[in-house]
Amino acid sequence: KEGSRGIAIEVGAGIGRLSKHLLLPLFSEVDMLEPCQKFLDASAEYIGEPAAARIGRRFCVGMEDWQPEPARQYAVVWVQWCVIYLTDEDFVGFLRKAAGALAERGWIVVKDNVAPSDGFVVDKEDSSITRTVPHMRKIFADSGLVLDKEVLQKGFPKNLFSVKMFALRRPTPEEDTEKHSDPSV
């Protein structure tokens, strides 16, 4: 049933393009996390009624400073094209907070550019860091999450960075026990 899958949050929401076209059709309520107040202010008009009435919280704060509300449990935390502005430490910290805010069987989806070679690529103009896939996987592991699936987005020009989507979840109690009982981990 449309819009009946609990609460989602769009991280790096801008004016809410993803909320309007993907999340609101699937979830009963969508929160938005965006550090630019003017984008949040423009979101209601962009999304339009009646869907805009199902936007819950509008958090005007950076990812590294976001504090999830304890009673708010997300079915999906969707993070798109914004982790390039976080340090590794802030990225891990954000993922840990997001994992703590997940509903049972909830997901964190990270969609972002990935660098083609070892290490990372720094863009001094916009102060971003584009990580390789192995670097992203290490951050996911450091945050205590399980990477269930990664998908390369098709159709991007060859002269741009590749874009990948990563589906993350909290470990099951069995996976958590195995990880902590295996001395090689």
Side-chain angles (χ1 to χ4, degrees), residues 151-164:
V151 177
L152 179 67
Q153 181 149 347
K154 297 184 185 339
F156 274 81
K158 299 285 184 213
N159 62 330
L160 298 178
F161 285 120
S162 295
V163 174
K164 275 213 164 181

Side-chain angles (χ1 to χ4, degrees), residues 3-4 9 32-33 42 48 50 53 67 75-76 78-79 82 86 100 105 114 117 138 141 159 172 177-178 184:
S4 65
I9 183 168
M32 298 172 71
L33 175 63
Q67 296 299 321
V76 167
W78 193 286
V79 186
C82 53
L86 295 178
R105 296 189 312 236
V114 291
S117 60
K138 181 178 181 333
N159 62 330
T172 64
T177 301
E178 290 169 10
S184 67

Side-chain angles (χ1 to χ4, degrees), residues 12 19 35 38 48 53 56 58 68 80 91 110 123 163 168 171 173:
S19 290
K38 73 178 182 177
R58 287 180 172 89
Q80 184 163 315
F91 191 3
V110 176
D123 184 329
V163 174
L168 309 164

Side-chain angles (χ1 to χ4, degrees), residues 16 30 38 54 56 80 85 92 107 125 132 148 169:
V30 176
K38 73 178 182 177
R54 292 190 295 115
Q80 184 163 315
Y85 300 108
V92 168
W107 292 90
E125 285 186 39
T132 62
D148 252 5
R169 62 173 172 78

